Amino acid sequence: MTTLELTADEAAIAGGAQGEAARLAMRIVTRYGAVTGAPRLIPISGAHIDACMYHGQASLDFVDRLLELGGKVAVPTTLNVGTLDLLHPELSRIDEDQRDRGRRVMYGYARLGARPTWTCAPYQEAERPGFGEDVAWAESNAIVFANSVLGARTDRYGDFLDICAAIVARVPYAGLHVEENRRATVCFDASDLPDEILAGDLAYALLGFVIGTRSGSAIPALAGVAPGQSEDRIKALGAAAASSGGVALVHVVGTTPEAPSLEAATQGQAPRWTHELTLSDLRAARQTLNTAAGSEPQAISVGTPHFSLAEFGQLASAVKDAGADFTLPFYVNTSRYVLSQADDRGWVEPLRSAGATIVVDTCTYVTPILGPDIRVVMTNSAKWAYYAPANLGIGAMIADLDSCVASAVAGRAIEAEGGLFP
Amino acid sequence: VTMRSGLTVAPGAAEGELLALGESISLWGAVDRVTGRITAPTHPQHGQSITGRVLVMTSGRGSSSSSSVLAEMIRSGAAPAAIVMEQTDGILALGAIVADELYATQMPIVVVSPADRAALAAAARARIVARESRATITLVTAAGGLRPGA
């Protein structure tokens, strides 16, 4: 293992000068740093904690240990989703013991000083990191969004490192904190895809799935899509790529800040390979994600990652245009902050009266919220469609938001105009 | 019996039957942390258990929560005996580091060359001894077990 050089201040923290929790956190940060080959630590301006979901006794033991030792975060810190919607705990079909454990982990991290945001989309909160800022973000979609869309710098951190970095306000100088490691090494070219496909939102979720599957943990660039794509499209693309692969940064040429051109994204070097994307790539991705192909949906779930304010606006107008209530259960996952903003705009009440259930603090693919008899779900999220079959034993079908609304109203799978393709 | 060497990502000593994955896996969202079984329906080894096996895969993928899942599986005894990879995966490393810190239980993670990974995939059992920086992997190509002290 490489030797990590600590400054005098860092060595003091490692020796217990800031208490026992900081000593433990520094030991974990430095052990992790040795694995990454980092020569030193660097300061961070914020953290996002994924460890606040209950994954068994170890989740509780770790947060309890930090609390017993007097831990406190030293930088502004947000929290990822937890096991249950704390405002509507009755939504989760788990027993009281599991609820209690979920709650204890969620509140435990809040007691360490993190803001109780409980969202997988901390980039939709009021404050978010700026270009070039070093942060310690965990949760795969948050990582890829921070690096790609914000141009902030975080490595692909796992649970535990997130909170330890927040306590000592430092991370190892390695991975995506290092400028030259951020260059795209593989390239995807969407130039041959039909414009009408790239004009729809669904294409971006499917592109992400293809890119993740083919990239593994390499850094991809996507060229050949129109410049200035919305944050929501890159959110869907990144979340899919971080699920089907280990993608932590994707450069979208003409959209993301480190990719004004393909040459900028690759830092002037030739990519290892370029894949010309075809319609059959997207069809194959859709086929893989459509684990319930041929069935009819019994519920709809949107908002994975958490629904943004713009998506609420889009949904509110689709529901208004439909002019009818949902006949299928319709779940929207979001954060408390975005929900309150959407509510201020008058978008939430019409959704609820059409029959939507709005879930905060957690997500329908990580915990049993959908009714026990629901076996087939339509979603606009490649991430949801990817994980739900294994997590919940549910089959998925993927379609765009307009198709989700039309299907929820009709009670069967409807292809909204332009929403789907063969 | 053949020996290979690798780089230690997480220290420890273990022995077990090999399970070479046809596709890398995210421990969260694709494995049942209680039974150790692979739950991802599209995975080529769907239904097999990783518990007690020397798990061989190319790289990590997917969820940050795999650190938590690995730490919990090490605590409960449902973890693999060891993990051997071609590329260092920080998310899995964290699970092993935290289990070591919380429970003083070690599960070695070792990085090897692509050629050595392929050799492992063809063997039946392996013993891993991962010290501070270097790891030794003892392979058994036929079923029959290791000689004592091999």
Side-chain angles (χ1 to χ4, degrees):
Chain A
M1 292 184 195
T2 315
T3 313
L4 186 71
E5 297 280 343
L6 298 185
T7 64
D9 285 351
E10 290 159 358
I13 297 172
Q18 290 184 8
E20 287 305 304
R23 184 214 288 261
L24 172 62
M26 185 58 99
R27 192 160 64 234
I28 291 169
V29 168
T30 53
R31 283 187 68 175
Y32 177 78
V35 169
T36 65
R40 60 190 167 90
L41 304 182
I42 52 169
I44 52 168
S45 60
H48 179 66
I49 310 296
D50 186 60
C52 55
M53 182 177 294
Y54 178 75
H55 295 290
Q57 186 61 38
S59 297
L60 264 176
D61 288 344
F62 190 66
V63 71
D64 284 349
R65 173 76 64 88
L66 291 173
L67 285 165
E68 279 161 25
L69 298 177
K72 271 288 171 215
V73 301
V75 291
T77 300
T78 47
L79 289 180
N80 202 58
V81 294
T83 303
L84 67 166
D85 177 339
L86 293 168
L87 298 180
H88 312 96
E90 70 285 356
L91 284 174
S92 297
R93 292 183 299 101
I94 52 176
D95 65 33
E96 196 41 54
D97 177 59
Q98 294 292 308
R99 257 183 224 181
D100 179 58
R101 288 164 173 268
R103 245 186 233 121
R104 280 161 60 200
V105 177
M106 290 173 80
Y107 285 127
Y109 282 96
R111 284 166 59 208
L112 290 170
R115 288 176 50 221
T117 50
W118 293 308
T119 180
C120 58
Y123 44 81
Q124 292 170 179
E125 297 291 296
E127 284 174 31
R128 56 189 199 174
F131 184 84
E133 273 185 42
D134 287 297
V135 295
W137 276 25
E139 208 291 332
S140 65
N141 106 86
I143 292 167
V144 71
F145 194 100
N147 279 316
S148 310
V149 179
L150 305 182
R153 296 180 175 198
T154 178
D155 210 15
R156 187 171 153 264
Y157 293 122
D159 293 5
F160 309 129
L161 192 282
D162 46 17
I163 184 65
C164 292
I167 289 171
V168 302
R170 286 165 177 84
V171 290
Y173 182 59
L176 295 175
H177 295 285
V178 182
E179 173 90 30
E180 51 267 35
N181 294 346
R182 298 176 67 82
R183 101 186 145 81
T185 54
V186 299
C187 181
F188 292 83
D189 187 348
S191 305
D192 289 344
L193 290 176
D195 290 346
E196 63 271 25
I197 295 297
L198 291 174
D201 292 336
L202 182 58
Y204 297 84
L206 297 177
L207 282 171
F209 187 83
V210 173
I211 289 170
T213 305
R214 289 178 170 268
S215 300
S217 49
I219 298 174
L222 172 62
V225 297
Q229 294 295 332
S230 70
E231 290 197 356
D232 287 325
R233 284 184 172 176
I234 309 304
K235 170 176 84 166
L237 185 150
S243 304
S244 65
V247 173
L249 164 60
V250 53
H251 296 288
V252 182
V253 176
T255 293
T256 59
E258 288 164 85
S261 65
L262 182 58
E263 292 66 34
T266 61
Q267 297 181 10
Q269 300 188 44
R272 286 210 308 268
W273 46 257
T274 296
H275 176 74
E276 311 285 343
L277 289 154
T278 64
L279 210 44
S280 34
D281 288 329
L282 299 191
R283 287 190 185 121
R286 186 147 188 251
Q287 206 171 0
T288 304
L289 292 168
N290 274 350
T291 40
S295 335
E296 290 294 346
Q298 297 165 299
I300 312 292
S301 182
V302 300
T304 304
H306 273 171
F307 229 43
S308 70
L309 188 61
E311 288 172 315
F312 264 109
Q314 207 182 337
L315 178 60
S317 84
V319 169
K320 196 173 166 201
D321 292 348
D325 289 348
F326 299 134
T327 63
L328 295 179
F330 193 109
Y331 294 88
V332 183
N333 301 290
T334 192
S335 68
R336 298 179 182 206
Y337 176 70
V338 168
L339 181 60
S340 74
Q341 285 188 304
D343 203 16
D344 289 346
R345 284 162 177 75
W347 293 338
V348 174
E349 185 41 44
L351 291 179
R352 287 203 167 114
S353 52
T357 301
I358 297 174
V359 176
V360 297
D361 300 344
T362 187
C363 193
T364 51
Y365 82 106
V366 298
T367 189
I369 286 180
L370 306 172
D373 300 328
I374 292 173
R375 301 263 63 91
V376 179
V377 172
M378 182 181 275
T379 180
N380 65 345
S381 162
K383 180 170 183 167
W384 200 98
Y386 182 76
Y387 281 121
N391 277 350
L392 307 170
I394 281 180
M397 46 210 308
I398 184 162
D400 69 2
L401 187 64
D402 287 344
S403 303
C404 287
V405 170
S407 304
V409 169
R412 63 195 163 82
I414 297 278
E415 300 195 10
E417 196 183 346
L420 305 184
F421 45 82
Chain B
V1 176
T2 54
M3 306 278 282
R4 308 271 168 169
S5 67
L7 283 171
T8 296
V9 171
E15 184 185 326
E17 268 183 70
L18 285 155
L19 177 63
L21 296 184
E23 194 181 287
S24 298
I25 207 165
S26 168
L27 288 188
W28 184 85
V31 173
D32 183 318
R33 70 167 191 257
V34 178
T35 65
R37 288 191 191 285
I38 297 173
T39 50
T42 56
H43 194 276
Q45 280 135 317
H46 174 249
Q48 289 202 43
S49 171
I50 64 171
T51 300
R53 307 293 287 273
V54 173
L55 192 67
V56 183
M57 59 182 180
T58 317
S59 63
R61 69 188 278 185
S63 178
S64 292
S65 303
S66 296
S67 309
S68 287
V69 173
L70 181 58
E72 170 62 12
M73 291 178 87
I74 294 171
R75 183 200 69 80
S76 72
I83 301 178
V84 181
M85 311 173 79
E86 272 178 38
Q87 291 166 27
T88 301
D89 182 75
I91 289 178
L92 294 177
L94 280 165
I97 290 168
V98 166
D100 188 10
E101 293 288 341
L102 279 182
Y103 308 114
T105 304
Q106 295 190 324
M107 190 217 65
I109 302 178
V110 174
V111 169
V112 297
S113 69
D116 283 349
R117 187 185 66 85
L120 253 77
R125 290 179 68 82
R127 172 184 290 176
I128 314 270
V129 179
R131 300 187 199 284
E132 178 130 342
S133 61
R134 298 299 301 176
T136 311
I137 302 160
T138 313
L139 297 184
V140 180
T141 44
L146 292 163
R147 285 178 289 118

